[in-house]
């Protein structure tokens, strides 16, 4: 029918709270992909950081503004202090996901091994977590503008 929202899982719609939310929609996937690629939240094209997460050129500095749409990333002094909360949440989610994976593989009962694997995982993903948390924090306050992309 015209005007009816798209359903992503019409057969199982009773099992999903968000049955009217189209998970495969290009708009929502574009948002997630732009977050994971560490792109500007305004245009989703420009890079927010000068170097990649695992570059050996030092801690990757942020660009002062987007190379594509020219929006300034410094909305106010100390703006990105709030990204520490996002970084903490990402770290906890990573630890829980790692532990669940260890449980599924049958290694979760060995607590020493679990703690070591979780610590190694968090350390290995720390540079990416640092940058991703800043992009997520900025996307809370900078709205997407399709005209800029």
């Amino acid at each position: 029918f015209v005007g009816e929202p798209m359903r992503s899982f019409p057969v199982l719609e009773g099992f999903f709270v968000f049955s009217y939310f189209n998970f495969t929609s290009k708009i929502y996937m574009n948002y997630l992909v732009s977050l994971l690629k560490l792109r500007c939240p305004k245009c989703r094209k420009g890079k927010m950081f000068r170097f990649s997460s695992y570059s050996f050129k030092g801690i990757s500095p942020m660009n002062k503004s987007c190379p594509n749409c020219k929006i300034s990333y410094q909305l106010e002094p100390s703006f990105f202090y709030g990204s520490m909360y996002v970084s903490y949440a990402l770290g906890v989610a990573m630890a829980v996901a790692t532990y669940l994976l260890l449980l599924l593989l049958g290694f979760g009962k060995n607590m020493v091994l679990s703690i070591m694997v979780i610590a190694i995982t968090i350390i290995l993903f720390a540079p990416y977590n640092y940058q991703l948390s800043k992009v997520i924090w900025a996307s809370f306050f900078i709205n997407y503008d399709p005209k800029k992309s």
Side-chain angles (χ1 to χ4, degrees):
F1 297 103
V2 177
E4 183 178 326
M6 295 180 68
R7 295 182 185 158
S8 47
F9 306 102
V11 176
L12 302 173
E13 80 178 24
F15 291 92
F16 296 97
V17 176
F18 300 107
S19 63
Y20 289 100
F21 184 78
N22 185 4
F23 287 106
T24 59
S25 173
K26 186 177 180 181
I27 295 169
Y28 300 110
M29 292 308 288
N30 187 19
Y31 173 69
L32 291 176
V33 169
S34 69
L35 281 180
L36 295 175
K37 287 185 173 183
L38 308 172
R39 302 295 182 188
C40 169
K42 187 74 164 181
C43 65
R44 297 180 182 168
K45 300 277 185 204
K47 294 182 177 182
M48 280 189 71
F49 295 90
R50 291 190 194 145
F51 310 120
S52 72
S53 303
Y54 297 99
S55 172
F56 290 106
K57 297 176 184 175
I59 294 176
S60 181
M62 271 186 76
N63 292 323
K64 300 230 183 271
S65 62
C66 175
N68 186 49
C69 68
K70 307 300 183 220
I71 187 170
S72 175
Y73 294 135
Q74 293 297 330
L75 300 180
E76 61 185 44
S78 306
F79 172 70
F80 286 103
Y81 280 172
S83 69
M84 290 186 300
Y85 299 108
V86 176
S87 177
Y88 177 75
L90 289 173
V92 169
M94 202 177 317
V96 169
T98 303
Y99 183 66
L100 290 176
L101 183 64
L102 286 172
L103 278 175
L104 287 173
L105 295 175
F107 299 110
K109 294 190 181 196
N110 186 345
M111 197 54 67
V112 174
L113 177 68
S114 297
I115 291 172
M116 286 176 39
V117 171
I118 289 170
I120 290 169
T121 302
I122 289 175
I123 290 169
L124 286 177
F125 283 100
Y128 183 71
N129 185 1
Y130 167 76
Q131 290 184 346
L132 182 61
S133 63
K134 286 190 172 193
V135 173
I136 292 171
W137 184 254
S139 71
F140 289 155
F141 300 97
I142 301 173
N143 294 328
Y144 173 61
D145 185 6
K147 296 173 188 166
K148 298 275 184 177
S149 59

